[in-house]
Amino acid sequence: MSRAHPQSGTRNIAASWWVLALRGLVAILFGLAALFWPGLILVVLIVLFGLYALIDGVLAVIAAFRSSGRGMRRTLLLIEGAIGILFGLLALFWPGLTALALLYIIAFWTILSGIARIAMAIMLRREIENEWSIALSGVLSVILGIILILLPGAGLLAYTWLIGLLALALGIALIYYAFRVQRQGMSGSSRVT
C-alpha cells in the first residue's frame, strides 16, 4: 500500500497560487463595481438570470417534446418551460420590472414571516421566557418589509451593496490564502495554516 506524498499536493497548489490571487482580484473588482455602480451590477445580474431562465425554459420544452410519455410529465415540462421562457424574456427586456417584482416578493415574505413570528410569540408567551425577542424580530421584519415596499429603490441598492461587500470579503480572503499558499510552497512545508 503506497502513501500519497503530502508535499507534492502542496507544491501543486503553491505553483498555482497566482490563480487564487487572480480570482481574489476579480472578486475585489466586482465588489468595488457593485459598491460604486450598483445599478449596472443589478442589471447585469438580472440579465444573467434572464438568460438562465430562458435557456432552462427552452430546454424544458425540448425535453417535453422528446419525452416518451404523453401524460402529466410532458404537460408539467411544457408548463415549466413556458414559465421559464416567459420570465427569461421579462428579465431580458424589462430588467427594472424584474428587479422590482423580486423586491416586492421579498418584502411580502418579510412582512408575512414577521407576522407569523409575532403570533408565535403571543402563543408561546406562557411556555418560554423572553418571548418578547421573538415578537421584536417579527416587528422588525414587518417594518423592513414595509420600508422595502415604500422605498423599493433603497432596497435594491442595499442588496447590490451587500453583494459587493461579500465579493470584497471573498476577494481579500482569496488573496490572503494565495500568498499563504505561495509562502508555504517556498518553505517546503506540507501544511497550509
Side-chain angles (χ1 to χ4, degrees):
M1 184 167 162
S2 67
R3 296 190 105 200
H5 296 286
Q7 284 188 342
S8 65
T10 304
R11 265 185 251 145
N12 290 341
I13 294 171
S16 60
W17 69 271
W18 62 272
V19 176
L20 288 171
L22 186 60
R23 286 179 58 202
L25 180 63
V26 169
I28 288 173
L29 291 175
F30 175 77
L32 291 173
L35 291 174
F36 292 109
W37 299 290
L40 174 68
I41 297 300
L42 185 62
V43 170
V44 168
L45 291 173
I46 292 169
V47 167
L48 288 175
F49 164 75
L51 288 171
Y52 165 74
L54 182 63
I55 292 168
D56 187 61
V58 167
L59 292 175
V61 168
I62 291 170
F65 284 116
R66 295 190 59 131
S67 174
S68 59
R70 294 190 178 247
M72 188 60 118
R73 176 178 157 81
R74 177 177 274 185
T75 304
L76 290 174
L77 276 171
L78 283 172
I79 292 170
E80 180 185 356
I83 290 170
I85 291 169
L86 175 67
F87 276 95
L89 290 173
L90 281 173
L92 290 173
F93 291 109
W94 294 289
L97 177 66
T98 304
L100 200 57
L102 177 63
L103 181 83
Y104 284 132
I105 289 169
I106 292 169
F108 286 118
W109 170 78
T110 304
I111 290 170
L112 293 175
S113 67
I115 292 169
R117 273 185 267 152
I118 292 168
M120 182 174 59
I122 292 169
M123 290 171 40
L124 295 175
R125 72 181 180 275
R126 292 190 178 138
E127 297 176 31
I128 63 172
E129 293 182 25
N130 299 321
E131 75 284 350
W132 63 269
S133 63
I134 297 172
L136 180 61
S137 74
V139 169
L140 292 175
S141 288
V142 170
I143 291 170
L144 175 64
I146 291 170
I147 289 171
L148 288 176
I149 289 172
L150 296 177
L151 302 169
L156 291 172
L157 186 64
Y159 287 128
T160 307
W161 282 346
L162 181 61
I163 290 169
L165 290 172
L166 290 173
L168 278 174
L170 175 66
I172 291 167
L174 282 172
I175 289 174
Y176 172 78
Y177 184 66
F179 285 110
R180 295 282 301 200
V181 166
Q182 180 199 30
R183 192 170 33 245
Q184 293 291 30
M186 289 183 350
S187 70
S189 176
S190 65
R191 182 172 177 186
V192 177
T193 55

